[in-house]
Amino acid sequence: MERMPGFLQALEDKKNTLGTTHAPDFLGLNQWNSLWQSSNEGQGVIIGIADSGIRHTHVSFKDDGTMPDPPMKWRGCCQYVTPNCDPWSPSKCNNKLIGARAVGSIGSPDDETGHGTHVASTAGGSRVYNAGVLGQARGVAVGMAPRAHLAMYKICTANKDHEDECTDRDILGGIDQAINDGVDVLSLSIDTPKDYIQDTVIKSTFAGVEKRILASACAGNGGMFPSRLANDVPWILTVGASSMDRVVKATVKLGEIVKNDFNKACKSAALNFFNLKGKIVVCETWVTNDIAKSEAVKKHGGAAMILLSQSWDGFTTFSEAHVIPTAHLNHVDSLKVVSYFRTEANPTATIIFGGTKEGVRRSPAVGSFSSRGPSLQNGGILKPDIIGPGVDILAAWNKQVGPDPSGSDDSAFNFAHGCSMATPMLAGIIALLKSTHTDWSPAMIKSAIMTTAHTTDRTGHPIADEKSNTYDKASFFAMGAGHVDPTRANDPGLVYNTTLENYFGYLCSLKQLSDFSIGIITRRRAFHCADYVKIEPEQLNYPSISVSMNNALVKKITRTVINVGQSNSVYKVEVDDPEGVSLKVDPESLTFSQMYEEKSFTVTFNAKIPHPFKGEYSEGQLMWKSNGLKEYHISNLNILLML
């Protein structure tokens, strides 16, 4: 095989996992004075989604007659129209869903689990009025970029447990196909951290950057483990998940009416040994998925379920379409239930349902499950990049849900959670930005999203980490640059750009990669680092700074910005020093006379003696502020320091 033309690498084909009625409003998107208006809701942009397929007849993907034809560059196909896709004869399902195809030997692009349908409608689904789940959270379900075109590439199939599995060959094939078909944005809810040489997402998305395609990809759902980050290379927008202020509320009153029974895992086989008829059954999260627990309890005669959270779940709870009445408690409240069971000989309880409530949860906050840094592979670049809504997201589903499913599956909706839900949110926002800034590079769009993110919640307090059980302030390792603000991202003032040559130099600086390995990642059979200037990770022109002092007294970092705000503008710097160093920025002001003018600045880190927090991390921030005649800009750069 090595002697075949174009051959780069042979790998074992492994299996991988897949990691909005309220979300647009929560993100400040409306039809009057937001990014929706200035971007025409993403019209003309193609979002490519590699996932579990799609229910193509769902109302979220219908063409209402106002959608324009796909761009002339579209070379993809709709397998429902042309089963044997021909690259010389592009086809479409309609002007909303312009592509739907299964990769490799999968067969049909039909969605077996609902995941891909949910993701696609979150990114760019059309407006559906009076959408809800079991009567809750009713409103207008709409994607982030409702006038963007969608193209689905089915790369995953359901296993015996009805969970999605995606092989490496299908991931690579699906993303490559999307790039060849002419998509503008990629949404990749794939959550499997790997060595860079083995990682098909990293290799295929690098090919996308060469075509000016930015990938929004899942940081992972491994928040209970340290440094379990996926998709952490600098050319990917790595997305973590946050919670919103909406909940479907249920209150548990202990000591009333219905007798309880306690079983941790609530596996169906284990419940055979209990008489559960008419009882509220107390189960714990983990081991099996939560819906399977309620199905098992119902099968064995249980009347309802109280779901207790593990310590690592913290304050994150989920609204889900259970088959019996269920209350999901955060960990602090779960401990109260456990204590009650230990002290009460005949425990009883009542569940009181309060319906859909907004403004009742501190938000945004980092979901406890969202994967955290630091990255163990990328040389120290701060990841994730951004967080976006990923808890209790209401979007399209492949079939009706709940205890007594009824109605057409073409109008089914469901709640879902995970970085899989936050990822298409950001993909849709990228589509909006590409619609308004057609000349921006993928790195410039990513920079705009990161440098305009906010680090405070709706109450003005620092964004909290729900994993902490005490609402501690979220670290940069949990939230990256902060929470996405789509409308601010449309007008960032300054952006940081990174070129392909920069990425080559960066890869050459990573000690674990040889020339041959980099050639595999970049798909260049004869790659030689000697042909490029090495760029240490901390010197890559990235919209954050992550520095390790390594006993040095002084370290200098350089960044270059591009003016995308007013032609004549002056930016002045403000600095919040990380503990353990003092920062000096040179120059302290940047003067621009025209659009797209570039200016560089140097940040000098001066260590304090002795190091007060040697071996620990500290956080700071650098802000460029401009108070122009027409516009006011703040460009934030998060700084992470290891002493």
Side-chain angles (χ1 to χ4, degrees), residues 86 92 95 145 149 206 210 263 287 373 387 399 416 562 629 632:
D86 181 357
K92 62 183 180 182
N95 284 337
H149 304 288
F206 192 90
E210 296 190 76
N263 186 282
V287 184
I387 55 173
K399 62 181 180 180
I562 302 173
L629 295 176
Y632 179 67

Side-chain angles (χ1 to χ4, degrees), residues 377-406:
Q377 296 194 83
N378 71 13
I381 292 174
L382 181 57
K383 291 282 183 169
D385 292 312
I386 198 78
I387 55 173
V391 176
D392 294 350
I393 304 303
L394 187 151
W397 203 246
N398 68 322
K399 62 181 180 180
Q400 294 289 347
V401 295
D404 298 299
S406 62

Side-chain angles (χ1 to χ4, degrees), residues 54 64 69 79 88 203 206 230 372 390 445 462 499 509 514 520 581 603:
I54 195 163
D64 63 1
D69 288 330
Q79 263 184 253
W88 301 106
K203 286 177 279 194
F206 192 90
R372 292 110 201 286
I445 292 174
T499 66
S509 75
S514 64
I520 291 172
V581 297
V603 184

Side-chain angles (χ1 to χ4, degrees), residues 243-426:
S243 60
M244 299 187 292
D245 62 339
R246 182 185 67 190
V247 298
V248 179
K249 190 172 183 179
T251 302
V252 175
K253 291 188 70 175
L254 299 174
E256 294 191 8
I257 305 177
V258 185
K259 182 174 174 60
N260 292 65
D261 215 329
F262 190 96
N263 186 282
K264 288 187 176 182
C266 286
K267 285 186 174 182
S268 183
L271 296 181
N272 285 326
F273 302 98
F274 296 89
N275 176 19
L276 302 182
K277 188 172 179 60
K279 295 180 180 179
I280 296 176
V281 181
V282 180
C283 304
E284 294 183 3
T285 60
W286 202 237
V287 184
T288 59
N289 74 68
D290 299 340
I291 301 294
K293 295 179 193 296
S294 69
E295 291 172 341
V297 171
K298 181 180 180 180
K299 176 182 175 182
H300 290 83
M305 181 173 74
I306 298 173
L307 193 59
L308 306 185
S309 295
Q310 305 287 348
S311 60
W312 56 77
D313 294 327
F315 280 99
T316 301
T317 59
F318 306 126
S319 300
E320 297 177 288
H322 288 280
V323 297
I324 53 174
T326 297
H328 185 176
L329 303 183
N330 64 47
H331 182 61
V332 172
D333 289 338
S334 296
L335 293 178
K336 297 175 184 176
V337 174
V338 172
S339 176
Y340 173 71
F341 261 82
R342 287 173 176 170
T343 57
E344 178 62 44
N346 187 34
T348 60
T350 302
I351 300 176
I352 304 168
F353 291 93
T356 306
K357 305 290 183 183
E358 294 180 6
V360 297
R361 175 159 60 184
R362 183 173 169 181
S363 62
V366 181
S368 60
F369 57 84
S370 188
S371 288
R372 292 110 201 286
S375 167
L376 302 180
Q377 296 194 83
N378 71 13
I381 292 174
L382 181 57
K383 291 282 183 169
D385 292 312
I386 198 78
I387 55 173
V391 176
D392 294 350
I393 304 303
L394 187 151
W397 203 246
N398 68 322
K399 62 181 180 180
Q400 294 289 347
V401 295
D404 298 299
S406 62
S408 170
D409 290 341
D410 290 341
S411 57
F413 288 86
N414 200 6
F415 291 116
H417 58 268
C419 76
S420 286
M421 283 63 250
T423 296
M425 292 273 183
L426 270 296

Side-chain angles (χ1 to χ4, degrees), residues 396-527:
W397 203 246
N398 68 322
K399 62 181 180 180
Q400 294 289 347
V401 295
D404 298 299
S406 62
S408 170
D409 290 341
D410 290 341
S411 57
F413 288 86
N414 200 6
F415 291 116
H417 58 268
C419 76
S420 286
M421 283 63 250
T423 296
M425 292 273 183
L426 270 296
I429 292 167
I430 293 169
L432 299 178
L433 295 174
K434 285 188 76 76
S435 182
T436 55
H437 302 287
T438 57
D439 54 347
W440 283 9
S441 70
M444 293 168 72
I445 292 174
K446 176 160 56 162
S447 171
I449 290 171
M450 292 175 63
T451 59
T452 58
H454 53 86
T455 56
T456 56
D457 62 23
R458 289 190 160 191
T459 67
H461 293 94
I463 289 175
D465 188 347
E466 291 185 340
K467 182 183 177 183
S468 66
N469 286 305
T470 52
Y471 276 121
D472 291 348
K473 176 184 175 183
S475 71
F476 291 167
F477 286 140
M479 70 175 182
H483 199 272
V484 63
D485 187 329
T487 299
R488 280 191 63 198
N490 191 43
D491 187 19
L494 304 175
V495 292
Y496 299 78
N497 194 27
T498 315
T499 66
L500 276 176
E501 294 284 314
N502 297 152
Y503 291 135
F504 291 143
Y506 156 77
L507 288 170
C508 288
S509 75
L510 299 181
K511 295 179 175 57
Q512 74 266 32
L513 297 181
S514 64
D515 287 8
F516 177 74
S517 301
I518 297 172
I520 291 172
I521 293 171
T522 62
R523 302 191 184 187
R524 283 158 173 80
R525 196 166 188 179
F527 184 92

Side-chain angles (χ1 to χ4, degrees), residues 144-155:
M144 289 292 104
R147 290 190 65 79
H149 304 288
L150 295 173
M152 171 59 70
Y153 299 85
K154 183 174 179 178
I155 60 170

